[in-house]
Amino acid sequence: MSRPGLSPLFAPLLMLAAAAASAQATLPVGKPIVYCSEASPEGFDPGLWDSTSTNNAVRQMFQGLLGFERGGTALVPRLAQRWTVSQDARVFTFTLRRGVRFHSRAWFTPSREFNADDVLFTFGRFLDPAHPFNKALPGNFIYPNNLGLAKLVQQLEKLDEHTVRFTLREPNVVFLSWFAMPFAGIHSAEYAAQLLQRGEPHKLNNAPIGTGPFAFRSYAKDDVLRLEANPGYWAGPVRTPKLIFAIAREPNVRIQKLLAGECQVSAPARDIDVPVLAKRADIQLLQVQALNISYLSFNLARAPTSIRAVREALDIAIDRPALFKVLFPRGDATPATSAFPPAIPGFDTTLRNEYDPERARRLLAEAGFPQGFALDLWALPIARPTNPNGLLLAQMIQQDWARIGVRASIKTYEWGEYLKRANKGEHDVYMSGWSGESGDADEFLTPNLSCAANRSGVKFCNAEFERLIDTARATPDAPRRSALYVQAQQIFKRERPWIPFAHSTLYLPVRADVKGFVINPNGGVEFEKVWRE
């Protein structure tokens, strides 16, 4: 059965949308909005990065063929007006939106509208290592590579100027959602060709050109990112003339700026900041039980963390209730037992965490470490809702591990350096996390725990686990998919590539004069339909 993106039944709705867009042109322009971000974006090429901070920046400038509805997980049209999926979930055909133009900047003026060539360029980089742009500017496309995109896609075709078709080597029932992910933001093939001709391919990442509601203006690392409204935006006038990302790593600084009116929206607040913010009449405190997880990830390429019994010992030596009392005093987080949150279909409700230092010591002795050993524990350098204080968490875990003879040296780095070094496998154990957008278990498992995500050998790769998640992706029957995910989680729990830590409620503070802001399930921010009175 094909699944159309839009049918003739939607014609009246499209007419209403057009009328609304026309009416919007008469709406007054709002004031600039400042967003207090917790970290600097790593760059502005959507395919190269996968951190929340970077995604929040690029999603204002770039758009995919599809998107997620505001505040939800349902797929909606973006640069594709409609789509069809073959009955066997192998052929995906997109009809592209007409009348879309890329940003005009001092360094680039588009000569044509968005078309199929831009889709082929964007995804061609992910699929073909010999792509001319990849030769000029080699890069690690983290999320596409972790999904195994190049292996999955058999053919990408331009059927005409406004129609593209993806044919897969095997069925994939979650493939459609990938087109709404930040990594799938569409580049201008015309801009890329000009950069190649000028010998400046790096500007694709440093001087971005997208189709989104906001266009890049300037960036000062660790300080400020400045965007401005796209005057030719295809969806109608943008009411916020300037959007500024003020980068403030320290949570206290962000809260102070918010309360002083220096920023109007802030990165999610810590648990301990909620009581103060909740008392303020000039602050809206938006709340969602987010699709998120924090965890400690082991280096599986070297001993002792490559030994399963050692990983289990380190896991069961942690006193989670004690940690949660300190880090989440309001009780707005829950201990994680699996690789994804309980709200997602397929969650294994039988999994439990264990705290047993005595058994942990026995496991270490059986693994050949009766006197323990030394390792490095990396502390998360930025505050996240699921890990509000990485250094404090590291210190408490350090104490727990000391009780079983494990001597942990705490290290940390600037955020960008932290990610770069972790990807190279320089750690023994490092803190990480993940947020989902689609509400599907595969979004947590495949990008993080599949063999495609383990090219360096540092991460998890298990043949039995791989077979289960591959089969689940090809299975349209929901109960059967859930049963496969339960089996996969049993393997995850047995092998323990992570120490799952927390799922958290997310509190996002917004000043009262900001209108139209909607909190997303993953905590990501979007300012397209947001304005300030």
Side-chain angles (χ1 to χ4, degrees):
M1 179 181 69
S2 66
R3 291 180 289 178
L6 289 174
S7 73
L9 295 175
F10 282 83
L13 294 179
L14 292 177
M15 294 174 63
L16 287 173
S22 176
Q24 187 185 24
T26 64
L27 292 174
V29 173
K31 300 175 182 178
I33 290 179
V34 179
Y35 171 66
C36 275
S37 176
E38 76 280 23
S40 296
E42 301 151 274
F44 304 105
D45 180 347
L48 288 176
W49 318 106
D50 69 344
S51 74
T52 299
S53 305
T54 301
N55 289 343
N56 278 338
V58 301
R59 75 172 71 242
Q60 317 307 324
M61 298 178 276
F62 287 89
Q63 296 173 304
L65 298 183
L66 307 181
F68 293 108
E69 67 177 355
R70 301 179 75 216
T73 59
L75 292 172
V76 296
R78 283 288 192 272
L79 297 184
Q81 283 188 302
R82 54 187 177 273
W83 59 91
T84 59
V85 181
S86 64
Q87 188 172 6
D88 64 356
R90 287 188 60 243
V91 182
F92 297 73
T93 305
F94 296 90
T95 301
L96 306 182
R97 187 180 299 276
R98 297 170 185 262
V100 177
R101 297 191 70 85
F102 284 93
H103 299 152
S104 290
R105 301 279 81 193
W107 57 90
F108 174 70
T109 301
S111 67
R112 61 166 176 80
E113 294 180 351
F114 156 73
N115 65 27
D117 292 333
D118 303 308
V119 179
L120 265 61
F121 168 75
T122 300
F123 284 88
R125 296 170 67 208
F126 304 152
L127 303 178
D128 182 11
H131 190 284
F133 211 93
N134 290 342
K135 289 185 174 181
L137 186 69
N140 177 22
F141 301 114
I142 298 174
Y143 206 107
N145 289 343
N146 288 356
L147 292 173
L149 192 66
K151 181 181 177 182
L152 175 65
V153 176
Q154 179 178 324
Q155 189 174 21
L156 169 57
E157 303 169 88
K158 171 184 173 181
L159 303 185
D160 58 43
E161 288 296 306
H162 295 95
T163 313
V164 296
R165 182 166 65 199
F166 291 78
T167 303
L168 309 185
R169 291 185 172 88
E170 57 191 31
N172 190 315
V173 297
V174 300
F175 184 67
L176 201 61
S177 69
W178 295 357
F179 292 95
M181 303 291 182
F183 82 84
I186 301 297
H187 281 288
S188 164
E190 182 184 20
Y191 179 48
Q194 291 183 18
L195 293 178
L196 279 183
Q197 188 176 23
R198 298 200 303 257
E200 299 176 325
H202 62 279
K203 288 190 175 179
L204 199 74
N205 182 53
N206 299 336
I209 295 290
T211 62
F214 295 94
F216 179 85
R217 182 177 178 183
S218 65
Y219 172 57
K221 183 175 172 57
D222 297 329
D223 184 13
V224 62
L225 165 65
R226 298 183 185 277
L227 310 176
E228 56 192 19
N230 173 10
Y233 186 44
W234 61 266
V238 179
R239 293 187 64 178
T240 296
K242 298 181 187 300
L243 177 60
I244 300 163
F245 279 53
I247 298 155
R249 176 179 165 181
E250 294 299 325
N252 288 336
V253 173
R254 294 196 297 273
I255 296 302
Q256 290 167 10
K257 285 179 173 288
L258 182 79
L259 295 179
E262 295 177 26
C263 63
Q264 286 74 49
V265 184
S266 174
R270 298 172 302 175
D271 200 54
I272 60 174
D273 295 321
V274 169
V276 173
L277 294 169
K279 294 177 182 177
R280 294 283 298 243
D282 56 348
I283 301 293
Q284 309 171 64
L285 197 58
L286 306 182
Q287 176 181 346
V288 67
Q289 184 61 48
L291 301 177
N292 60 17
I293 186 172
S294 58
Y295 58 88
L296 279 70
S297 181
F298 291 110
N299 187 330
L300 302 183
R302 65 189 186 203
T305 50
S306 61
I307 302 170
R308 195 207 64 78
V310 168
R311 299 195 298 272
E312 183 175 0
L314 293 174
D315 186 352
I316 68 175
I318 295 176
D319 185 355
R320 284 177 173 83
L323 298 183
F324 271 66
K325 287 179 182 178
V326 174
L327 291 166
F328 305 103
R330 288 172 48 85
D332 290 330
T334 57
T337 59
S338 181
F340 55 85
I344 290 180
F347 180 81
D348 186 354
T349 58
T350 70
L351 298 182
R352 298 288 185 272
N353 291 321
E354 180 184 355
Y355 175 54
D356 192 340
E358 287 298 326
R359 192 168 80 84
R361 279 190 284 269
R362 292 197 301 272
L363 284 169
L364 289 184
E366 293 168 5
F369 300 96
Q371 305 304 317
F373 55 86
L375 54 65
D376 290 335
L377 170 60
W378 288 18
L380 193 72
I382 61 175
R384 293 289 196 210
T386 54
N387 187 349
N389 191 327
L391 181 58
L392 179 57
L393 175 60
Q395 290 169 342
M396 296 185 73
I397 291 174
Q398 182 186 49
Q399 295 173 8
D400 285 343
W401 285 352
R403 296 186 183 100
I404 63 169
V406 174
R407 301 172 297 282
S409 297
I410 298 173
K411 292 185 176 181
T412 194
Y413 302 92
E414 178 273 330
W415 180 229
E417 189 70 13
Y418 183 94
L419 293 173
K420 185 188 303 182
R421 288 175 177 265
N423 284 330
K424 290 180 179 178
E426 296 182 14
H427 62 284
D428 291 318
V429 186
Y430 82 104
M431 297 177 188
S432 190
W434 193 256
S435 295
E437 295 188 82
S438 68
D440 196 282
D442 186 77
E443 190 183 356
F444 286 79
L445 303 181
T446 294
N448 298 302
L449 294 161
S450 67
C451 293
N454 182 44
R455 293 174 302 280
S456 64
V458 170
K459 296 184 179 181
F460 186 58
C461 179
N462 178 281
E464 187 182 4
F465 182 90
E466 191 84 358
R467 178 184 60 79
L468 289 166
I469 64 172
D470 284 351
T471 304
R473 277 198 307 276
T475 302
D477 179 73
R480 173 62 179 151
R481 285 191 78 211
S482 292
L484 291 166
Y485 286 135
V486 167
Q487 294 178 56
Q489 289 166 88
Q490 294 288 336
I491 296 170
F492 170 84
K493 192 68 171 182
R494 181 188 75 208
E495 298 299 323
R496 303 187 197 235
W498 297 352
I499 297 177
F501 183 56
H503 310 295
S504 72
T505 300
L506 191 148
Y507 295 94
L508 205 146
V510 180
R511 290 194 64 86
D513 62 345
V514 174
K515 306 301 179 183
F517 191 91
V518 176
I519 190 169
N520 287 326
N522 70 337
V525 295
E526 296 181 65
F527 291 95
E528 176 180 347
K529 297 180 179 179
V530 180
W531 75 98
R532 180 179 165 216
E533 291 184 336

